[in-house]
């Protein structure tokens, strides 16, 4: 496990030599997305990656997916990738938790993600998902938890999702919706 704040290009060069690393969390990254992708290239066993402060786009997501097929947790709250990156993420067989923010993902992108059978936890941060995008999640019965912070989904779309997938634990803007059958006291 390595947690690092204020990560610049020099810090990334140091991190790049840690090929044994399994968990990497980087905050306040001032290095470029390309430098970040290059730094993680040698970490063949990386299982968990969190990057805050560097907006990763499609090219960096493609590189991360190629370099780290065993990735289990990916947390990118400030990303800029598009639907094309969701194709690559859907191919990660061990991905169980995906948390991202990207204004460039559309409803159609969730059709690609809906085929990811191992995904159990999905957290969307200011992703412009609407009811159309939620419909792609209806058949994801393995999905245990869905958080949507921001977005364009309506109450009707959320209730339709909860009806289609009654086992899902759902939060909207960090709160349970009124009719969530899996609400608890947290």
């Amino acid at each position: 496990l390595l947690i690092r704040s204020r990560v610049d290009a020099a810090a990334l060069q140091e991190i790049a030599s840690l090929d044994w690393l399994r968990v990497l969390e980087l905050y306040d990254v001032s290095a470029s997305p390309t430098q970040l992708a290059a730094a993680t290239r040698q970490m063949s066993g990386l299982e968990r990656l969190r990057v805050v402060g560097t907006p990763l786009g499609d090219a960096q997501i493609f590189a991360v997916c190629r370099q780290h097929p065993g990735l289990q947790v990916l947390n990118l709250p400030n990303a800029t990738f598009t639907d094309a990156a969701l194709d690559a993420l859907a191919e990660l067989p061990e991905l169980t938790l995906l948390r991202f923010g990207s204004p460039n993902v559309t409803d159609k992108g969730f059709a690609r993600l809906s085929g990811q059978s191992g995904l159990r936890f999905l957290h969307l941060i200011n992703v412009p998902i609407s009811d159309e995008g939620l419909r792609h999640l209806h058949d994801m019965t393995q999905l245990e938890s869905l958080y949507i912070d921001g977005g364009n989904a309506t109450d009707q779309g959320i209730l339709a999702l909860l009806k289609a997938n009654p086992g899902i634990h759902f939060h909207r803007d960090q709160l349970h919706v009124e009719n969530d059958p899996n609400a608890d006291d947290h």
Side-chain angles (χ1 to χ4, degrees):
L1 167 66
L2 177 65
I3 300 174
R4 207 59 205 264
S5 294
R6 300 177 205 249
V7 179
D8 59 12
L12 281 179
Q13 286 181 339
E14 291 175 26
I15 292 168
S17 65
L18 305 176
D19 59 348
W20 49 266
L21 203 57
R22 300 291 176 257
V23 178
L24 179 60
E25 294 188 10
L26 303 174
Y27 299 87
D28 194 18
V29 179
S30 62
S32 75
T34 303
Q35 291 170 320
L36 177 63
T40 63
R41 186 172 296 129
Q42 295 177 349
M43 298 173 195
S44 61
L46 196 62
E47 298 171 355
R48 298 174 58 126
L49 177 62
R50 180 175 187 179
V51 178
V52 177
T54 294
L56 301 184
D58 288 341
Q60 290 78 36
I61 297 301
F62 298 148
V64 165
C65 291
R66 261 191 325 274
Q67 294 165 4
H68 309 292
L71 204 59
Q72 298 169 12
V73 174
L74 185 59
N75 187 342
L76 305 170
N78 311 107
T80 59
F81 60 80
T82 69
D83 294 347
L86 291 181
D87 280 333
L89 292 169
E91 296 298 319
L92 293 174
E94 297 182 43
L95 188 65
T96 58
L97 185 148
L98 177 59
R99 180 178 187 265
F100 72 92
S102 178
N104 302 319
V105 170
T106 70
D107 288 325
K108 292 179 183 179
F110 289 97
R112 297 166 173 151
L113 198 58
S114 68
Q116 215 292 356
S117 62
L119 192 61
R120 295 185 359 243
F121 306 95
L122 181 60
H123 186 168
L124 308 174
I125 306 161
N126 296 320
V127 174
I129 190 170
S130 72
D131 296 351
E132 179 186 338
L134 288 180
R135 280 192 282 280
H136 296 297
L137 306 180
H138 282 207
D139 294 329
M140 293 183 71
T141 57
Q142 83 286 357
L143 200 59
E144 296 174 25
S145 178
L146 174 64
Y147 281 45
I148 299 177
D149 296 326
N152 301 319
T154 67
D155 290 344
Q156 293 80 12
I158 291 168
L159 291 175
L161 172 68
L162 293 173
K163 184 177 180 181
N165 194 340
I168 199 167
H169 180 90
F170 183 83
H171 278 215
R172 181 181 199 178
D173 298 322
Q174 299 296 312
L175 300 172
H176 286 283
V177 293
E178 185 176 313
N179 297 334
D180 184 351
N182 297 303
D184 57 25
D185 294 328
H186 67 269

